[in-house]
C-alpha cells in the first residue's frame, strides 16, 4: 500500500474530542485538546491515551503518573476552537478529588492513574 493511501485509510478511523487535564511539576494546571483515547478493559476499567512524545502533557503525566479526561458535550465547540488558538485560559475548570483540572460543565470526566507508558511511535 502506498503512503498516501495508507494515510487516507488511517484517517478514516473514528475518534472523539477530549480535554486532558494534568498538573505541571510546580502544581500549575495544564489542559490539552486530544483525540486518541480508547477503552481497553471493563474489568479492571482501563483506557489508553496517545500523547505526542514531545508534548508538555506527556511530561506532566510522566511526572505525576496521573491525568484527567473531560468528555465534551454538544455545544462546547468553543473549547475545541480555543485549543486551536493554543490557549485554554478562558475555559472554566473544576477539580477531581485528587486536584486535577477538568472542564466545568462537561458531559463527564474520568481521572486516570498511569499503569504503564508504552514507548512506541511518535505518540
Amino acid at each position: 500500500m502506498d503512503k498516501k493511501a495508507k494515510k487516507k485509510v488511517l484517517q478514516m478511523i473514528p475518534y472523539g474530542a477530549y480535554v486532558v487535564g494534568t498538573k505541571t511539576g510546580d502544581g500549575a494546571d495544564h489542559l490539552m485538546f486530544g483525540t486518541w483515547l480508547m477503552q481497553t478493559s471493563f474489568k479492571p476499567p482501563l483506557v489508553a491515551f496517545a500523547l505526542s512524545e514531545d508534548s508538555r502533557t506527556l511530561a506532566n503525566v510522566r511526572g505525576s503518573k496521573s491525568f484527567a479526561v473531560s468528555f465534551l458535550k454538544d455545544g462546547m465547540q468553543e473549547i475545541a476552537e480555543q485549543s486551536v488558538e493554543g490557549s485554554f485560559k478562558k475555559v472554566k475548570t473544576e477539580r477531581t478529588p485528587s486536584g486535577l483540572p477538568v472542564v466545568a460543565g462537561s458531559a463527564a470526566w474520568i481521572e486516570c492513574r498511569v499503569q504503564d507508558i508504552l514507548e512506541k511511535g511518535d505518540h
Side-chain angles (χ1 to χ4, degrees), residues 33 76-87:
F33 184 77
M76 297 186 96
Q77 65 270 10
E78 71 278 358
I79 292 174
E81 292 165 3
Q82 287 177 31
S83 73
V84 172
E85 298 168 8
S87 175

Side-chain angles (χ1 to χ4, degrees), residues 36 49-53 58 118-123:
W36 287 359
F49 208 114
L51 300 167
S52 177
E53 65 183 23
L58 181 55
L118 183 60
E119 308 280 347
K120 300 288 182 189
D122 60 1
H123 281 70

Side-chain angles (χ1 to χ4, degrees), residues 6-89:
K6 185 184 335 180
K7 183 176 180 178
K8 185 174 183 178
V9 169
L10 289 173
Q11 289 174 332
M12 290 179 184
I13 297 171
Y15 57 90
Y18 314 96
V19 175
V20 178
T22 60
K23 290 289 213 177
T24 63
D26 62 1
D29 289 351
H30 175 72
L31 298 176
M32 178 203 88
F33 184 77
T35 58
W36 287 359
L37 173 72
M38 70 175 193
Q39 180 181 353
T40 61
S41 174
F42 280 111
K43 293 180 184 178
L46 297 172
V47 299
F49 208 114
L51 300 167
S52 177
E53 65 183 23
D54 62 353
S55 71
R56 183 179 344 171
T57 302
L58 181 55
N60 295 343
V61 168
R62 286 182 196 280
S64 68
K65 304 293 188 222
S66 64
F67 63 97
V69 179
S70 297
F71 295 80
L72 302 179
K73 61 184 177 183
D74 288 341
M76 297 186 96
Q77 65 270 10
E78 71 278 358
I79 292 174
E81 292 165 3
Q82 287 177 31
S83 73
V84 172
E85 298 168 8
S87 175
F88 283 103
K89 292 178 182 173

